[in-house]
């Protein structure tokens, strides 16, 4: 027997018709007759397991919620995204593209996970954070605030990623992990500290040279306070230590 059905209650969302769902049997914490969220088709939720979509949440496209996963609040899951295991996506979070959220991971707040990104294990992505591209966030990692994790980045273990943003200067500045971005230039903090005047001038001519002369020492000092690990020498490998 099917565990839910599509009701006659609909909403049009970006040109797609979504249907409110209703449970037909008891499973997990859901009781027969409970109204759920909105899906585009029955295939958006697995029939086996306790997967469920509730509240005003929307799942559409070829997205799939399975296992014991839950999508609720005002969250969206779309594209070819997958949410499974014991994962939770809620609040105003968005998971889309070919993204995967699984294990005991949580994505919430205004967070976005998209592209080919993976969030799994006990990882948490929340606030206005963005995880995208081929990035992976896993283990007990936390990504929050206005953080951006992208490209081939890997954030794991007990890592916590929350950026320091400075606006209103000639260039916007973001300090995150061991890196600092000034304008469109993104480098290790240790590299910024080592750049000479000629290298700075190559970035944007006299404008970057004047900026660095005025603010460079202040920014490096801020990095030392906020990201002291960026100045720690890497520990030698066992082979190098012999």
């Amino acid at each position: 027997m099917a565990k839910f059905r599509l009701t006659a209650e609909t909403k049009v969302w970006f040109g797609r018709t979504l249907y409110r769902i209703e449970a037909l049997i008891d499973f997990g914490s859901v009781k027969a007759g409970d109204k759920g969220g909105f899906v585009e088709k029955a295939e958006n939720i697995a029939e086996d397991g306790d997967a469920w979509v509730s509240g005003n949440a929307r799942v559409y496209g070829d997205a799939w919620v399975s296992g014991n996963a839950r999508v609720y609040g005002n969250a969206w899951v779309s594209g070819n995204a997958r949410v499974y295991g014991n994962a939770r996506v809620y609040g105003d979070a968005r998971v889309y593209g070919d993204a995967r959220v699984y294990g005991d991971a949580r994505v919430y707040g205004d967070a976005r996970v998209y592209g080919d990104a993976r969030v799994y294990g006990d990882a948490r992505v929340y606030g206005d954070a963005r995880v995208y591209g081929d990035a992976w966030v896993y283990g007990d990692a936390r990504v929050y605030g206005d953080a951006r994790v992208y490209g081939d980045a890997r954030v794991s273990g007990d890592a916590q990623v929350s950026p320091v943003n400075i606006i209103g200067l000639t260039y916007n500045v973001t300090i995150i992990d061991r890196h600092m971005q000034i304008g469109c230039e993104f480098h290790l903090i240790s590299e910024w500290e080592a750049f000479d005047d000629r290298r700075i001038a190559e970035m944007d001519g006299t404008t970057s040279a004047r900026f660095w002369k005025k603010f460079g020492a202040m920014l490096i000092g801020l990095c030392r306070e906020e990201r002291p690990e960026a100045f720690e020498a890497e520990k030698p490998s066992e082979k190098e230590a012999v």
Side-chain angles (χ1 to χ4, degrees), residues 142-163:
R142 303 291 184 264
V143 178
Y144 56 98
D146 292 313
R148 302 292 184 266
V149 179
Y150 55 95
D152 294 313
R154 302 291 184 264
V155 180
S156 62
D158 295 318
Q160 297 194 27
V161 179
S162 180

Side-chain angles (χ1 to χ4, degrees), residues 183-202:
C184 62
E185 293 280 345
F186 183 78
H187 304 282
L188 287 166
I189 294 169
S190 57
E191 292 175 330
W192 281 107
E193 186 180 41
F195 286 150
D196 58 21
D197 292 343
R198 189 171 94 175
R199 177 67 181 89
I200 294 293
E202 288 173 350

Side-chain angles (χ1 to χ4, degrees), residues 110-132:
D110 289 308
R112 305 288 185 270
V113 178
Y114 56 98
D116 290 307
R118 302 288 183 266
V119 178
Y120 59 98
D122 290 310
R124 304 288 185 268
V125 178
Y126 56 99
D128 291 308
R130 304 289 184 267
V131 178
Y132 56 99

Side-chain angles (χ1 to χ4, degrees), residues 14 54 147 190:
F14 292 113
S54 59
S190 57

Side-chain angles (χ1 to χ4, degrees), residues 71-225:
V71 179
Y72 54 98
N74 290 305
W76 306 354
V77 180
S78 60
N80 293 305
R82 300 287 184 267
V83 180
Y84 56 100
N86 292 307
R88 302 288 185 268
V89 178
Y90 56 99
D92 291 303
R94 311 285 184 265
V95 178
Y96 55 97
D98 290 305
R100 302 289 185 265
V101 178
Y102 56 100
D104 291 308
R106 303 288 185 268
V107 178
Y108 56 99
D110 289 308
R112 305 288 185 270
V113 178
Y114 56 98
D116 290 307
R118 302 288 183 266
V119 178
Y120 59 98
D122 290 310
R124 304 288 185 268
V125 178
Y126 56 99
D128 291 308
R130 304 289 184 267
V131 178
Y132 56 99
D134 292 307
W136 293 4
V137 178
Y138 57 100
D140 293 312
R142 303 291 184 264
V143 178
Y144 56 98
D146 292 313
R148 302 292 184 266
V149 179
Y150 55 95
D152 294 313
R154 302 291 184 264
V155 180
S156 62
D158 295 318
Q160 297 194 27
V161 179
S162 180
V164 175
N165 292 304
I166 303 171
I167 60 175
L169 303 180
T170 307
Y171 308 101
N172 289 336
V173 178
T174 298
I175 301 167
I176 183 169
D177 195 19
R178 293 174 177 264
H179 297 79
M180 178 162 60
Q181 180 168 347
I182 302 177
C184 62
E185 293 280 345
F186 183 78
H187 304 282
L188 287 166
I189 294 169
S190 57
E191 292 175 330
W192 281 107
E193 186 180 41
F195 286 150
D196 58 21
D197 292 343
R198 189 171 94 175
R199 177 67 181 89
I200 294 293
E202 288 173 350
M203 296 177 182
D204 197 21
T206 56
T207 302
S208 57
R210 285 197 299 268
F211 176 90
W212 193 247
K213 184 176 181 180
K214 185 175 182 179
F215 298 110
M218 179 271 288
L219 290 173
I220 293 298
L222 179 62
C223 288
R224 286 191 176 278
E225 290 185 11

